[in-house]
Amino acid sequence: MTKYSNKKCRFVILISGRGSNMQELIKTCNSDNWPAEISAVISNNPKAAGLDWANNNYINSTYLDSSKYSNRDDFDRDLSIEIDKYSPDYILLAGFMRILGCSFVRKYYGKLINIHPSLLPAFPGLDTHGRAISSGVRIHGCTVHFVSPELDSGPIIAQGYVNVFSKDTVEILSERVLEIEHKVFPSVAHWLTLNEVILDKDDKVSILNNHNGLFYL
């Protein structure tokens, strides 16, 4: 049995929509009694369904409406102010559909963790499932990685793999990838609470206790 320290790992979670990865992470954290505290859920979308879910589960939640900002720097500044209220150990991007500026990323480098719906470096950016089908790949999946200033290119922590079938549509493949996301992201978050993910000065990731960072559906 793993022995937990008395210090809880503090997470702030960023979302833009329903926050299904956020929900799965929080439910797993609570059911498995992680040494963690979900300090806040923050969205750039005031209508994000995930905010209602967080409120209903007694988690601090708020939003900064990114559509009201004329430039990225102002939004990033206010988001940083809001995040810093909670002094998080890690900031988890769980379907946060907004590009963060270089200054913001550098400030929190090593604390920002994102989940992306492809096997990076393949298919960075949007429409990952459609591009995977169009390209003819037979393996697709998701990647959990540290966020770097270059989009979807930070050091990789873990990846989840799914098959791509000839009759797959974007919707079908999306659901299959989401299923593996719900395994990979909570696992990585748990490793973080146990200090088992190490990012060294050369941006190389090590995972302790024989976790190999590979998941299969």
Side-chain angles (χ1 to χ4, degrees), residues 21 24-25 28 34 115 142 144 158-161 176-191 215-217:
N21 272 301
E24 196 67 27
L25 191 153
T28 307
W34 292 356
I115 185 162
C142 67
V144 176
Q159 293 184 306
Y161 294 78
R176 191 178 304 128
V177 171
L178 189 62
E179 187 176 349
I180 195 70
E181 287 180 25
H182 289 173
K183 295 181 179 181
V184 179
F185 209 18
S187 295
V188 170
H190 189 208
W191 300 342
F215 296 79
Y216 301 90
L217 192 58

Side-chain angles (χ1 to χ4, degrees), residues 32-190:
D32 293 355
N33 195 30
W34 292 356
E37 173 185 301
I38 310 301
S39 301
V41 172
I42 305 173
S43 179
N44 67 310
N45 174 13
K47 296 181 179 179
L51 291 174
D52 293 332
W53 189 92
N55 277 325
N56 291 335
N57 285 272
Y58 309 103
I59 296 168
N60 292 322
S61 62
T62 189
Y63 65 86
L64 298 172
D65 188 349
S66 56
S67 69
K68 304 296 184 183
Y69 287 81
S70 59
N71 65 75
R72 181 183 298 167
D73 289 344
D74 288 348
F75 175 83
D76 286 357
R77 179 201 63 223
D78 287 354
L79 178 59
S80 179
I81 291 170
E82 188 64 34
I83 288 171
D84 289 347
K85 293 177 182 178
Y86 303 97
S87 301
D89 295 294
Y90 293 99
I91 303 152
L92 307 180
L93 280 61
F96 188 66
M97 303 301 292
R98 182 176 174 86
I99 297 173
L100 296 165
C102 292
S103 295
F104 183 97
V105 172
R106 291 192 183 101
K107 174 179 178 178
Y108 296 108
Y109 188 69
K111 292 186 174 185
L112 280 171
I113 313 290
N114 181 52
I115 185 162
H116 180 76
S118 81
L119 294 172
L120 293 173
F123 313 123
L126 302 175
D127 189 30
T128 59
H129 308 311
R131 290 156 63 199
I133 291 171
S134 296
S135 72
V137 298
R138 289 291 172 257
I139 300 292
H140 188 42
C142 67
T143 303
V144 176
H145 64 98
F146 287 100
V147 178
S148 66
E150 185 178 350
L151 180 66
D152 296 332
S153 65
I156 292 172
I157 302 170
Q159 293 184 306
Y161 294 78
V162 303
N163 291 317
V164 182
F165 301 108
S166 59
K167 293 184 178 179
D168 276 344
T169 64
V170 169
E171 291 74 20
I172 291 172
L173 184 55
S174 173
E175 286 301 315
R176 191 178 304 128
V177 171
L178 189 62
E179 187 176 349
I180 195 70
E181 287 180 25
H182 289 173
K183 295 181 179 181
V184 179
F185 209 18
S187 295
V188 170
H190 189 208

Side-chain angles (χ1 to χ4, degrees), residues 203-215:
D203 289 339
K204 293 182 179 180
V205 175
S206 300
I207 308 173
L208 308 182
N209 288 339
N210 297 317
H211 303 301
N212 66 12
L214 302 177
F215 296 79

